[in-house]
């Protein structure tokens, strides 16, 4: 029996989804690497109730040019920080801002610091999630595909039987 000892970075998973030949293989890749972190990231990228508090457009950061798997943090571990950069708009009750005590300038600096700590591929994924363009680079990685692969309903919170 062969065990995988390397957990791919998010951009590596998304590249596998992109390269999969059909829908079922794309779903299989997403399910194979399904973790709470990957789910949280994909919800932040595709859930229409989530609004990013980081301005649209280019982010002025210095990409980390260290090779993947070396001197950088992993988005898988840093995904919890996304709460600092988003607001969840609820249909009932008050909206939920991850950290309402952070001012705009500090929030943007935290985002830049997060990007600079990630590998260039994962930083690019985070920016694409913010911009809502993840599916443009990684074909087959769409809101409906993610919901179907993980059996989520349209609210991204429950499961479809």
């Amino acid at each position: 029996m062969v065990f995988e000892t390397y957990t791919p970075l998010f951009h590596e998973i998304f590249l596998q989804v992109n390269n999969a030949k059909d829908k079922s293989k794309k779903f299989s890749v997403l399910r194979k690497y399904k973790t709470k972190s990957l789910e949280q990231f994909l919800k932040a990228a595709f859930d229409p109730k989530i609004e990013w508090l980081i301005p649209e457009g280019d982010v002025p950061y210095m990409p980390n040019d260290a090779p993947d798997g070396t001197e950088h943090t992993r988005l898988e571990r840093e995904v919890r920080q996304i709460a600092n950069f988003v607001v969840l708009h609820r249909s009932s009750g008050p909206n939920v801002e991850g950290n309402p005590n952070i001012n705009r300038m500090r929030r943007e600096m935290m985002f830049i610091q997060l990007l600079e700590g990630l590998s260039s591929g994962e930083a690019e994924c985070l920016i694409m999630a913010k911009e809502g363009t993840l599916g443009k680079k990684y074909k087959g990685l769409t809101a409906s595909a993610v919901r179907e692969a993980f059996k989520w309903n349209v609210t991204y919170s429950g499961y479809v039987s």
Side-chain angles (χ1 to χ4, degrees), residues 87-106:
V87 171
L88 173 63
H89 295 282
R90 293 181 170 176
S91 54
S92 62
N95 294 337
V96 179
E97 185 173 339
N99 194 339
N101 299 322
I102 300 174
N103 67 36
R104 186 179 138 261
M105 182 74 77
R106 177 71 180 129

Side-chain angles (χ1 to χ4, degrees), residues 98-131:
N99 194 339
N101 299 322
I102 300 174
N103 67 36
R104 186 179 138 261
M105 182 74 77
R106 177 71 180 129
R107 180 175 282 116
E108 291 174 19
M109 286 305 301
M110 288 172 60
F111 190 71
I112 289 168
Q113 289 169 343
L114 175 59
L115 291 173
E116 289 178 348
L118 296 170
S119 72
S120 59
E122 286 200 311
E124 183 182 11
C125 284
L126 186 55
I127 292 169
M128 287 186 288
K130 170 187 81 76
E131 295 292 323

